[in-house]
Amino acid sequence: MSRRDARAREIVLVSLGVALAVTPKFKLQYYARISSSRRAAAIAGRMEVVGIDAIAPQMAQRFAPFAVFSGEDANQWRIVEPTVREALITVPIPERVLLAKGDTDTRHKIAKQVFEAVDRKYRLVALPAMPANNPGGWWDIVFEQEYGLPKPDGTLPA
């Protein structure tokens, strides 16, 4: 693994933890199936989906510094969202409750689980560093310069 890949992996892993830290508490409570109004289990299940729908896209976007390879096809970060959802679903409810209560160790553990799930399914290759005069998340431009313009679903045209 190159130094650039190792550094990008470290940055994304920390970024995943930050994404969980800045997620509004009520969304984490939905994800953990915590309801202040003691609703029925059916509503708690729907709340869980709402929580996952809120968390998964922002966590998937943290993979923007990588070109995500599925086989030989280079893709943008959008392709990892279903894998992030699956990883979030597999987290046991007690760990989700600890996450909603603000437990830092649990936050890092869940971030690592999500990263490892994506890393197992795809080959992640760090994109070149952005120029210093382009602050912010301009990873789409860097991806286009390296691999070409992707289709709306994040895959490259054949």
Side-chain angles (χ1 to χ4, degrees), residues 48-152:
E48 176 186 16
V49 171
V50 168
I52 291 172
D53 286 346
I55 297 169
Q58 64 180 319
M59 290 188 77
Q61 189 173 17
R62 303 302 172 129
F63 287 89
F66 289 107
V68 182
F69 282 85
S70 175
E72 294 300 317
D73 299 328
N75 304 289
Q76 285 184 305
W77 60 268
R78 290 171 191 84
I79 198 168
V80 304
E81 189 174 336
T83 306
V84 170
R85 283 180 190 283
E86 292 169 14
L88 289 172
I89 290 169
T90 62
V91 174
I93 299 294
E95 285 185 27
R96 296 180 192 187
V97 170
L98 289 174
L99 174 68
K101 291 181 178 178
D103 184 52
T104 306
D105 292 335
T106 304
R107 183 172 61 234
H108 293 304
K109 184 177 178 183
I110 292 173
K112 188 175 181 181
Q113 287 174 347
V114 168
F115 184 85
E116 289 173 350
V118 171
D119 196 31
R120 275 192 307 270
K121 187 168 183 175
Y122 301 103
R123 184 170 52 97
L124 304 173
V125 176
L127 293 169
M130 293 186 300
N133 60 356
N134 280 340
W138 297 78
W139 291 109
D140 291 345
I141 294 169
V142 175
F143 182 88
E144 288 173 17
Q145 289 173 349
E146 287 290 308
Y147 299 101
L149 188 64
K151 294 189 286 187

